Amino acid sequence: MEKIVNGVLMTAALLAASSQVEAKKPKHPNVLFILADDYGWMDLGCMGSKFYETPNLDRLASEGVKFTNAYSACQVSSPSRASLMTGKYTPRHGVTDWIGEKSGENWRKMKRHSKLLPADYAWNLPANEYTIAECLRDNGYTTFIAGKWHLGDEGSWPEDHGFMINKGGWSAGSPTGGYFSPYKNPKLEDGPAGENLSIRLGKETVNFMREHKKKHNNKPFFAYLSFYAVHGPLQTTKENWSYFRDKAEKMGIADKAFEVDRTLPVRQVQDNPVYAGVIKEMDDAVGMVLDELKRLGLDENTLVIFTSDNGGVTSGDSYSSSQLPLRGGKGRQWEGGIRVPAMMYYKGCNAGSVCDVPVIGTDFYPTILDYAGLEMHPEQHKDGISIMPVLKEGAKPERSLFWHYPHYGNQGGEPSSIIRKGDWKLIYYYESNHSELYNLAMDLSESEPLNVQFPDKVKELEGELMAWLDEVDARKPVADPLYDPKKEAEVKKNWRTKTLNAQEKSRKKMLQKDWQPNANWWKSMTTVD
């Protein structure tokens, strides 16, 4: 009898201990989503860059899965960010251009004298959208953002869309105070003079993970590290500039670096030492966060995603980089504008593997829910699919991908809509009401349209694209009745001559040994530990 009682007591004790252990385990995995800004497909060492140095992102690729056919949902930032948050294509949530850009008749103030007036668009992420942050918060996650938001003015900031802790996310789409403190950011306290913004955002994320584990070890978190890097205006330390300037010289500085492609000059070489420094600082911050994730033992139960909000800047803005062999860059309708780097890590993934199945920004919402074992919300993330069956089961979903940008880009992009189906890609242009057909397997650089050779494919894809545009009730640009072709021709002539010459001159000056942007730049950016 005594043995039976003791056995019962021992069993009860073991069950109680087991329950305590289970109580300490997070019910769902953590999610660390790292988003770069304007970071191109060819801007990483693991994607083939010989100039930029990204050891921490390369490590993430070697420990996780690298996607070679990953896309943003738009060629500019606000729309693609809204799609990440909602799981919807841009016409559905209404944010189709970067928030702040002119549209309709106000577009004339830009003095571009364009044929069309760009479509109007939403200036705030709609309040009725159930964001991934809201969904995870409602499922017991602590939600945190460090960095860029750019999805509306006050009242439509991160805390209004599901984020419980906000460090640096507000209306602005670029680092208002530059990349060194003081930041001029109402949601981020200034650090000591010279503190780097990317490093600061990395530290904020590290501190959040430490505090969260200390206080809420049995509660999962969603950390959204959304860098302002590598968006202009570009700034780095003198040490970084000097290092990469010397590297460019050793690699051989090309006499010319720009070519005009339809509209603006486009950079053809990677040798911008300031841009390389901005990349290095962001990569250092990524390394800091990944190291801390491992030190805390959180890598065993955390899904890590890295990607960019659109392609790299090859023209317009800071004319930062080249995405060759991809054509174009940010703001443009070609692959350089929408194809982006992407990696994913989780415990048990096929480390170092490469996935060439096309995926898009709308896929991350359902992927996170799927991996976390949470209920799907197909009425919300209706334009995304979970990537997990692709990675775990080798699934190859048959679907078409769509883009809609009824605007003119600062970087030379033209009002257009796009469909990719298999290896085929069709771009429809609103100025001319004609399409260009490409086969990406045969011509990744989109150098030669195949309309004449494959008229049936043009008809098929145009029909599917137009049907989709009707389905999502897409807003379209309209003809400007005040259009003056002579004035537009003069603008484009200046781009082909004055802008081209100015960019070549600026590039060569930046690569000189005695270069500095102004008398106080280096002094104001002293490196801070």
Side-chain angles (χ1 to χ4, degrees), residues 22-290:
E22 289 298 319
K24 292 181 180 179
K25 290 183 180 179
K27 292 181 179 179
H28 299 294
N30 305 307
V31 179
L32 171 61
F33 197 115
I34 305 174
L35 184 66
D37 191 359
D38 292 356
Y39 195 41
W41 190 69
M42 284 298 295
D43 288 347
L44 299 85
C46 64
M47 293 301 295
S49 176
K50 303 298 183 185
F51 183 60
Y52 309 130
E53 297 181 9
T54 55
N56 294 298
L57 289 171
D58 296 349
R59 168 166 54 112
L60 181 60
S62 67
E63 295 177 353
V65 181
K66 180 175 71 175
F67 296 87
T68 58
N69 276 273
Y71 289 95
S72 60
C74 186
Q75 49 266 60
V76 295
S77 62
S78 295
S80 67
R81 290 167 179 269
S83 291
L84 286 173
M85 287 291 113
T86 64
K88 290 180 179 178
Y89 282 130
T90 59
R92 292 195 200 271
H93 54 64
V95 184
T96 55
D97 203 357
W98 63 270
I99 293 175
E101 180 59 295
K102 293 177 175 58
S103 62
E105 293 187 356
N106 283 331
W107 175 249
R108 295 189 187 121
K109 296 177 182 178
M110 300 298 291
K111 299 187 183 302
R112 293 267 295 268
H113 305 290
S114 312
K115 293 180 182 178
L116 305 178
L117 296 176
D120 289 330
Y121 63 95
W123 278 47
N124 293 288
L125 182 64
N128 62 350
E129 295 289 351
Y130 190 50
T131 68
I132 182 62
E134 290 173 306
C135 183
L136 292 176
R137 179 200 62 193
D138 292 348
N139 278 279
Y141 279 71
T142 300
T143 54
F144 164 89
I145 178 176
K148 178 173 172 175
W149 178 243
H150 200 198
L151 288 175
D153 289 326
E154 191 168 1
S156 186
W157 283 357
E159 50 268 46
D160 303 302
H161 293 281
F163 286 97
M164 300 160 69
I165 304 170
N166 175 15
K167 299 289 185 179
W170 66 303
S171 308
S174 61
T176 310
Y179 281 99
F180 296 86
S181 184
Y183 302 120
K184 299 181 181 179
N185 183 325
K187 303 302 290 188
L188 187 69
E189 292 182 6
D190 290 333
E195 179 187 61
N196 177 266
L197 178 58
S198 295
I199 297 298
R200 169 65 178 278
L201 296 177
K203 287 181 178 179
E204 291 287 356
T205 306
V206 165
N207 291 338
F208 163 74
M209 293 191 303
R210 287 174 181 168
E211 289 300 310
H212 185 272
K213 182 174 181 182
K214 186 185 301 182
K215 296 179 181 179
H216 308 289
N217 195 37
N218 64 336
K219 186 177 182 179
F221 66 75
F222 172 50
Y224 180 47
L225 173 52
S226 178
F227 287 108
Y228 283 93
V230 290
H231 194 291
L234 302 179
Q235 298 171 331
T236 190
T237 63
K238 185 174 184 179
E239 291 76 14
N240 281 340
W241 164 80
S242 180
Y243 172 83
F244 285 106
R245 193 221 72 85
D246 292 347
K247 184 174 182 177
E249 187 172 62
K250 291 175 184 176
M251 293 176 66
I253 297 175
D255 185 50
K256 294 183 178 180
F258 293 89
E259 291 182 6
V260 175
D261 188 352
R262 279 238 282 257
T263 50
L264 289 175
V266 178
R267 196 179 189 104
Q268 304 294 301
V269 296
Q270 294 185 345
D271 64 0
N272 184 328
V274 175
Y275 183 67
V278 177
I279 290 176
K280 181 185 182 301
E281 287 145 3
M282 180 182 71
D283 186 76
D284 288 345
V286 169
M288 176 192 309
V289 174
L290 295 179

Side-chain angles (χ1 to χ4, degrees), residues 323-362:
Q323 298 305 310
L324 294 177
L326 303 185
R327 184 178 180 183
K330 176 186 177 182
R332 296 199 164 204
Q333 57 275 8
W334 298 300
E335 290 294 284
I338 56 177
R339 194 180 289 216
V340 292
M343 285 94 79
M344 185 181 294
Y345 166 84
Y346 54 90
K347 185 69 174 178
C349 69
N350 187 7
S353 61
V354 175
C355 178
D356 60 4
V357 174
V359 299
I360 192 166
T362 54

Side-chain angles (χ1 to χ4, degrees), residues 424-487:
W424 294 100
K425 177 181 175 182
L426 180 133
I427 306 171
Y428 177 81
Y429 293 90
Y430 288 96
E431 278 195 346
S432 58
N433 294 316
H434 90 286
S435 300
E436 292 175 350
L437 177 71
Y438 298 100
N439 185 289
L440 299 176
M442 294 190 290
D443 180 19
L444 182 61
S445 298
E446 296 170 283
S447 60
E448 189 64 37
L450 299 173
N451 297 47
V452 174
Q453 295 90 333
F454 298 96
D456 291 342
K457 182 59 69 173
V458 172
K459 185 177 181 180
E460 172 198 338
L461 295 182
E462 276 189 351
E464 187 174 347
L465 178 59
M466 296 305 160
W468 175 78
L469 291 167
D470 289 341
E471 176 195 341
V472 299
D473 196 23
R475 294 179 179 179
K476 299 174 184 177
V478 297
D480 186 353
L482 303 184
Y483 171 63
D484 186 334
K486 290 184 179 179
K487 290 182 178 179

